[in-house]
Amino acid sequence: MQSILIIEDEYAISQVLKAYLTKAQYSVIQCFTGHEAIAQFQQHQPDLVLLDVMLPGKNGWAILKEIREQSQCPVIMLTALGEIQYRLEGFQEGADDYIAKPFIGEEVVARVKAVLRRSESQHQKRKRFGALEIDFKGHSVFLLGKEIDLTPRDLSVLMFLASHPNQTFTREQLLEQVWGWEYVGSERAVDLAIKRLRKALIEWPVEEGEIRTLRGLGYQFHVYKK
């Protein structure tokens, strides 16, 4: 049974979320203050976090930043702040999706399932592509034996593409799979992420593989079969 950590200070909202998620066969842990959030996260190691922004003690942005410093656990921001700038801030800090209050319980469950599906497609075992090695479970990348430092978003793009070698994905598909379908920014974000990845993988021998651009089609993690 997959576990969901709800970090929400409004007891009634937390209880409603718990009821819907329990009905959907998830195990639910509840946390009501920002101060307790990281301790609860570390103790329970949930499969996904539902995180409110406005919390007593420590706000959701600070908690999200701390989570991202130690884990790629999926995080869905849950807040009454529906303005575009708050959505952008959440995605830029590494949130996987964003749900504005008031919400419909069935929608929250659907979003949770969608984000977990995206995450599960990346949580494979370690795979090697010549000199490039990707630890999907440990969320780390090694090239020529040295670990590469990537942002959480760039790492997610690489892991998604590497999970589907030699398949082509449009910008729209990558935005949906990695940024989340409610992302409101420019498709240029995909191009910039690919550019940074290519720079980080500059020493990956081209005869082993590369991140290709297929003009008019999209991007592909291309590996050469031996």
Side-chain angles (χ1 to χ4, degrees):
M1 180 180 289
Q2 292 175 302
S3 60
I4 310 294
L5 172 60
I6 302 173
I7 306 173
E8 164 63 66
D9 64 311
E10 295 188 47
Y11 182 80
I13 292 177
S14 183
Q15 287 296 94
V16 169
L17 289 169
K18 180 179 180 180
Y20 275 98
L21 292 167
T22 300
K23 184 178 180 181
Q25 303 300 308
Y26 292 107
S27 173
V28 176
I29 308 105
Q30 292 170 288
C31 176
F32 299 97
T33 71
H35 283 315
E36 300 173 351
I38 294 301
Q40 291 288 320
F41 177 80
Q42 293 173 336
Q43 177 182 346
H44 296 285
Q45 294 293 303
D47 294 291
L48 182 142
V49 176
L50 280 173
L51 175 60
D52 188 26
V53 170
M54 308 303 288
L55 292 165
K58 184 184 296 185
N59 68 38
W61 305 131
I63 294 168
L64 175 61
K65 183 177 180 180
E66 288 190 52
I67 289 176
R68 281 293 166 260
E69 288 174 351
Q70 58 189 279
S71 172
Q72 289 300 309
C73 174
V75 177
I76 298 177
M77 304 303 291
L78 184 67
T79 175
L81 302 174
E83 291 86 352
I84 289 178
Q85 62 264 34
Y86 292 106
R87 298 189 183 198
L88 291 176
E89 184 173 356
F91 287 125
Q92 289 167 358
E93 291 297 328
D96 293 270
D97 203 349
Y98 184 106
I99 301 175
K101 302 174 185 176
F103 56 80
I104 300 174
E106 290 84 356
E107 179 189 5
V108 175
V109 172
R111 297 282 195 89
V112 166
K113 289 180 178 179
V115 170
L116 283 172
R117 279 197 303 269
R118 292 201 301 268
S119 176
E120 287 165 2
S121 72
Q122 299 171 359
H123 290 178
Q124 307 173 15
K125 59 183 181 180
R126 186 182 291 242
K127 290 188 68 175
R128 181 180 289 277
F129 307 93
L132 177 65
E133 189 174 9
I134 302 176
D135 184 351
F136 289 87
K137 197 169 184 65
H139 297 92
S140 52
V141 180
F142 301 85
L143 181 58
L144 299 171
K146 298 180 180 180
E147 186 169 3
I148 299 176
D149 185 26
L150 297 173
T151 67
R153 184 71 69 195
D154 292 353
L155 178 61
S156 295
V157 173
L158 178 60
M159 289 198 301
F160 176 77
L161 288 172
S163 298
H164 306 86
N166 300 325
Q167 294 184 40
T168 304
F169 295 92
T170 65
R171 291 182 181 87
E172 292 85 355
Q173 289 172 323
L174 288 172
L175 284 174
E176 179 180 351
Q177 293 296 324
V178 178
W179 277 257
W181 68 273
E182 250 203 3
Y183 175 71
V184 294
S186 168
E187 292 181 359
R188 177 71 174 158
V190 176
D191 301 331
L192 293 174
I194 294 295
K195 182 178 181 179
R196 291 191 296 268
L197 284 174
R198 284 177 173 151
K199 183 177 181 180
L201 302 178
I202 190 74
E203 296 183 13
W204 187 24
V206 68
E207 64 269 18
E208 294 178 354
E210 61 183 327
I211 298 179
R212 284 184 171 178
T213 300
L214 283 77
R215 189 175 298 276
L217 296 175
Y219 294 109
Q220 178 187 104
F221 183 85
H222 185 83
V223 292
Y224 293 91
K225 300 177 182 179
K226 296 184 178 180

